Structures are given as structure tokens and as C-alpha cells.
Amino acid sequence: MNSSFIVANWKSNKTLFEAEEWIKKFNANGENIVICVPFTLLSAFNQPPLNLGAQDVSMFDQGAYTGEVSAVQIKEFADWVIIGHSERRNYFNETDDMLQKKVEQAKKVGLKIIYCVPDATTFIPSGLDVVAYEPIWAIGTGESDTPENAETICGQIKQKSGTAQVIYGGSVTNENVASFVTQPHIDGVLVGSVSLEPRKFAALVANAQ
Ligand code: PGA
């Protein structure tokens, strides 16, 4: 790809008011940026030029599944969805089998998938759009992987999954983003903490280009 693919993952953060403030201050745009917001914000931010994503999807069709949000509901507002984030695997016991079902649901409605794995040995379903290598110990810790190791793992993931785009996530900052996206097999980054700060995130986007 020509420019780096950048995914913001807001996780379980931001009220509507806080998200509106973020939008006012975030002055970078591009087709290569996807903002993955909580379900509660999808409807409010379904406006160009933002590319929206959800952070999870139900493994079931629409129906009697209290608390779940189905793929068809997400697709009304967003084009992208994150599946298999390590926080889903760890706190909600999502297994490879469940994640495969989520992938099938997303594909059925044409949602584009960012599939997260903690290493190159984890199961990766076929037909994904983007795979994100996110070592668990690097998420939210301020301790990123080295660009060299991330490059090796992303290369292995690319070969194993056949997915054209592989990105790195885990303590990516304005300062270190360039060292990742300049690696041949790293096509972009997935950003948690820094994406919550609009000005820092805009600087990160600028440094990645
Ligand atoms: P972090 O989160 O940037 O805060 O490390 C990354 C992620 O969980 O996707």
C-alpha cells in the first residue's frame, strides 16, 4: 500500500460529549485511518470523512441474544470491525471457534475485518482484510515490541495467513510509529491509548506518513 493503514481503538472510552470534543480537535483525515469507537458512538459518527469501525461483533445473527450487537446492525453505521482483540480473548474468554463465527458474521454483511493475534502461531481464519500483530505484554504498557521483531512476526503472519495487510499494535506512539511503518512487512499500526488524545493522534498520523 502507498500510505500506512492506521487504526484507532478507543476501547471502552468516551461519552458522546467527549467524542464530539475529540472530533473538533482532530484535524487529520484520510481513507487510511479507521476509528473504532464503542457501539454507543457509531450512530453519531457515521459521517464522512471518518471511516468508522466497531471493536467487536456478535457471533450470532440478529435475534434473541441479549446484550449482543449483530453484524447487520454494525454495518448500518460502520465498514470495519476489530475481531479477536486480546482483551476480548482474555476478559471474555473468546476462543478461536467463537472468533471464526464472528468472522463469518462480519463477512456475510460485508464488514471489513481487522483480526488481532498475539503472535504468529495463533489460528488465523481465512478471508480477512487486515491482521494486527499485538503482543499482549505490549498493549497499554508503554513497552512496545522492537521494530525488528515486529517486522519478523508480521512477515511470518503475512506468509501464513495470505493477508495482504499486516499491522502492528502495542504501545505505538508519535515517537516510535515511524520505526514500525518503515519496515517492509508492517503496513500500518493499531493504536489504543494515544488515539484517545486527538492532537497526539493527529501527530502520530502525520509521523506515519
Ligand atoms: P495501546 O493499545 O496502544 O494502548 O498499547 C493497543 C491495542 O490494544 O490495540
Side-chain angles (χ1 to χ4, degrees):
M1 9 180 5
N2 305 330
S3 55
S4 304
F5 184 70
I6 300 175
V7 183
N9 178 12
W10 283 5
K11 309 192 179 183
S12 190
N13 290 294
K14 295 205 187 294
T15 61
L16 179 57
F17 175 76
E18 288 165 347
E20 281 166 351
E21 292 300 298
W22 188 97
I23 298 281
K24 281 185 210 154
K25 293 181 188 146
F26 181 66
N27 56 8
N29 281 308
E31 329 170 332
N32 56 331
I33 306 170
V34 178
I35 316 285
C36 296
V37 301
F39 290 130
T40 50
L41 298 175
L42 282 177
S43 146
F45 292 107
N46 177 27
Q47 55 198 353
L50 285 183
N51 294 310
L52 275 196
Q55 303 165 13
D56 183 30
V57 59
S58 175
M59 63 178 172
F60 300 109
D61 283 320
Q62 274 202 103
Y65 303 102
T66 302
E68 287 294 274
V69 180
S70 65
V72 73
Q73 292 173 306
I74 293 171
K75 184 62 179 143
E76 265 196 298
F77 305 112
D79 287 331
W80 290 87
V81 63
I82 295 174
I83 296 178
H85 191 280
S86 68
E87 287 151 13
R88 300 296 316 172
R89 294 174 190 264
N90 296 343
Y91 299 136
F92 305 96
N93 300 322
E94 294 191 359
T95 61
D96 291 344
D97 184 47
M98 291 160 76
L99 296 174
Q100 170 81 57
K101 291 190 175 123
K102 289 178 182 229
V103 165
E104 281 158 21
Q105 289 292 333
K107 276 162 68 174
K108 231 169 28 179
V109 301
L111 275 170
K112 290 184 263 189
I113 301 164
I114 300 154
Y115 193 86
C116 301
V117 291
D119 50 47
T121 57
T122 298
F123 168 74
I124 300 177
S126 58
L128 305 170
D129 300 278
V130 176
V131 177
Y133 159 55
E134 296 208 301
I136 292 167
W137 50 265
I139 296 177
T141 60
E143 222 184 291
S144 64
D145 201 345
T146 62
E148 295 73 24
N149 192 56
E151 161 67 7
T152 303
I153 307 281
C154 287
Q156 289 168 354
I157 289 172
K158 206 171 260 189
Q159 201 177 20
K160 164 180 164 178
S161 66
T163 307
Q165 291 178 49
V166 178
I167 63 177
Y168 167 75
S171 297
V172 176
T173 63
N174 315 4
E175 288 78 34
N176 67 18
V177 66
S179 68
F180 290 106
V181 298
T182 48
Q183 302 291 329
H185 291 113
I186 303 180
D187 302 303
V189 285
L190 203 167
V191 186
S193 321
V194 171
S195 75
L196 297 174
E197 299 280 339
R199 294 204 173 96
K200 274 195 195 165
F201 186 57
L204 185 152
V205 168
N207 290 348
Q209 304 308 348

